[in-house]
Amino acid sequence: MAEFQSYTLNFGPQHPAAHGVLRLVLEMEGETVRKADPHIGLLHRATEKLAEAKPYNQSIGYMDRLDYVSMMCNEHGYVRAIEKLLGIEPPLRAQYIRTMMDEVTRILNHLMWVGTHGLDVGAMTAFLYTFREREDLMDVYEAVSGARMHATYYRPGGVHRDLPDRMPKYEPSPYRSERELKEMNRAREGSVLDFLEDFCERFPGCVDEYETLLTDNRIWKQRLVDICPVGPERALELGFTGPMLRGSGVEWDLRKKQPYAVYDRLDFDIPVGTNGDCYDRYLVRVAEMRESARIIKQCIDWLRANPGPVSVDDPKVVPPSREAMKDDMESLIHHFKLFTEGYCTPPGEVYAAVEAPKGEFATYIVSDGANKPYRLKVRPPCYYHLAAMDEMIRGHMLADVVTLIGSIDVVFGEVDR
Amino acid sequence: MLETLIWETAKIWAVLIPLFLAVAYFTYAERRVIGHMQSRRGPNRVGPRGLLQPIADALKLLFKEITIPTYANRTLFLIAPALAIMPALAAWAVIPFGEGMAVADINAGLLYILAMTSLGVYGLIIAGWASNSKYALLGTLRASAQVVSYEIAMGFALVGVLMAAGTMNMGGIVEAQAGPFWNWFWLPLLPLFLVYWISGVAETNRAPFDVAEGESEIVAGFHVEYSGMAFAVFFLAEYANMLLISFLGATLFLGGWYSPFEGLPVLGPMFDWVPGTVWLFLKAGFFAFCYLWFRASFPRYRYDQVMRLGWKVLIPVTVVWLVVLTALVYGGVGPWF
């Protein structure tokens, strides 16, 4: 009998479907993948080590840059750990704002994911549709924090500032007419909450639009159904979290199982798949986008009705107001101490997790009582998903590698850290 | 003798120059049309409404360096683009642009077309082989397998046309469809028409069958190592082939140069002033538009699924319909046979 010899195919890091800098060394037999060996570390930026050399607050910005498509959720995981360490509880309004922004982030992430996943499988139109809506949510980021991506908006003890009353508007340009401009600025006349409410109202229609292009498309189903299925037990063993786990039919969501922020006060459902294949993960994520819009709506209603402080009244952790700083000696000292030395935490160790769009994002902090962590460990969801890549892809075809990478929703900022 | 030579050369250029222009502006149309389908604008900066964009692209590609990989087979690497474009252009010789308006009015026109469209794949195979790259080789394997399988389905579909028209001459096939739009072959040969169109899209390696290029899997497939003009030639060949399949579809199934209201009492004379060529271009334009439409709306098939569709769906459909067609022709059914 003739002996078949496999050959090695280097996939990435310069590859259009590598989602950043994934390098896979594939052992192939014809078009069939026999073994996949993910090589990581090409985006290593030593976030954990850097955090050991800075006061706690100065590392918040690094968290945005871990999973750079779900920025505020990462911040949430980090500030929650610090709050746990300090034993402080942010005011309710801050919790609502965080919940709302977490869900905005979830939609941002899933929009990016639907688009790029579609692009990987060859459907390019959904990509441009999702980016149209993403743009609006980026503007929300900009309105609340001043930055469109790397917000650094959450702080231990609350959020940086209250929601603004104005939305940024499009400016006149020679390339768009008066009428177009008016239409683009239609929802931007009021506050951020008004804009978000308008967004939540039209967003389900937008999701329908993506679903028309993809969900029941025969080719899309042929490419996704029964590709790289993972059973519920195996998914748990592999350390899956988030949509990867829920796609396999395990109803596990930290927002429900270990509620944080104000998720226990809100009404929402956890979509769960049955087969654990790429198609189920797709359906779970699409359903999650709709749920997120529901959560945002509830948060908007509460935030409208309940004004109040957005950070704890503790000058050791939260900077004093500008006015107080100008004519009060003590506030000035607090301000100076906070921005130079930061604050010291009691010695101990904490683990705080949030349900980030990709799964369980957590930080584990060991403190020796200094003003910076002795050790910071980030638990990124995708690291564990990527580790299961080899097991999932064996026996599938080359084109499925691309589908699977898309389905994992891998982002190298957090895998390599 | 000399006169014939000059006359024939002039005819060839009269087809080729508009063809090159059409290809250039087809790429522009593609970007604009898909742009609007995706709620964006497409190129609109170079020249009025971006109309000079294809020229700018061509200039850019002309001035780029053609890099040849160290381990590539130089001769084959450079021959391949020529092999790809020659049949793509040669096939246009038999397309009738109007009554008696073909460069070569040969009897076996249909066979000639089939031969030319099949030859084009050699360029792809040689390009992938000569590049000495695994991605290119995979693309080549996919392309050749795909063209071989879809050639069969397409061949069968064309046999149906041949049976219905009773001639292989392209002009003759159009004349066999003379009459209003229900006289054209798309209706009696509807399954074959669909098979032809699907395999036509597959043969030209376009979405959703663009597995040979598969930009997200094997990067660019067979032409991954090509740059500059060598790449542009592949590009030209691909688009020339797309237009060819469009014109062929219009000729074989949509009545070529005939008006859709030909021979009708009131509507017929109303459109008499429109030249036949315009109708042909409109019909071909519909197919060309569909190419772009498909690209904007469909995901890409996986390689084995493309094969399955070809062998297990399209070929059986054509075989069955050929039997039905034989019965129809034998029984002299309808206005067609």
Side-chain angles (χ1 to χ4, degrees), chain A residues 192-265:
Chain A
V192 172
L193 289 178
D194 296 335
F195 179 77
L196 261 179
E197 190 173 35
D198 174 75
F199 179 84
C200 290
E201 238 133 70
R202 64 192 160 85
F203 185 62
C206 300
V207 180
D208 291 342
E209 221 170 64
Y210 322 141
E211 285 211 80
T212 336
L213 273 170
L214 302 176
T215 305
D216 286 327
N217 187 314
R218 286 173 65 106
I219 306 176
W220 180 255
K221 278 179 113 167
Q222 281 183 29
R223 285 297 304 274
L224 261 68
V225 174
D226 282 336
I227 301 302
C228 308
V230 182
E233 291 83 23
R234 192 61 191 145
L236 283 169
E237 282 168 13
L238 288 167
F240 282 10
T241 46
M244 292 288 285
L245 184 59
R246 292 194 284 276
S248 298
V250 182
E251 196 202 329
W252 179 261
D253 190 318
L254 292 180
R255 294 175 294 170
K256 280 274 191 221
K257 302 288 174 187
Q258 301 170 5
Y260 55 95
V262 288
Y263 281 110
D264 47 348
R265 294 160 175 250

Side-chain angles (χ1 to χ4, degrees), chain B residues 68-108:
Chain B
I68 301 176
T70 320
Y71 293 104
N73 184 327
R74 290 180 71 92
T75 331
L76 289 181
F77 190 81
L78 292 175
I79 286 177
L83 273 183
I85 194 146
M86 274 189 313
L89 298 182
W92 285 87
V94 294
I95 300 280
F97 292 97
E99 215 163 343
M101 278 168 65
V103 176
D105 194 12
I106 54 178
N107 277 335

Side-chain angles (χ1 to χ4, degrees), chain A residues 381-403:
Chain A
C382 286
Y383 184 74
Y384 302 91
H385 299 158
L386 192 69
M389 173 113 200
D390 177 42
E391 184 181 322
M392 287 194 277
I393 199 64
R394 281 187 189 206
H396 288 277
M397 302 189 81
L398 179 60
D400 299 332
V401 174
V402 179
T403 316

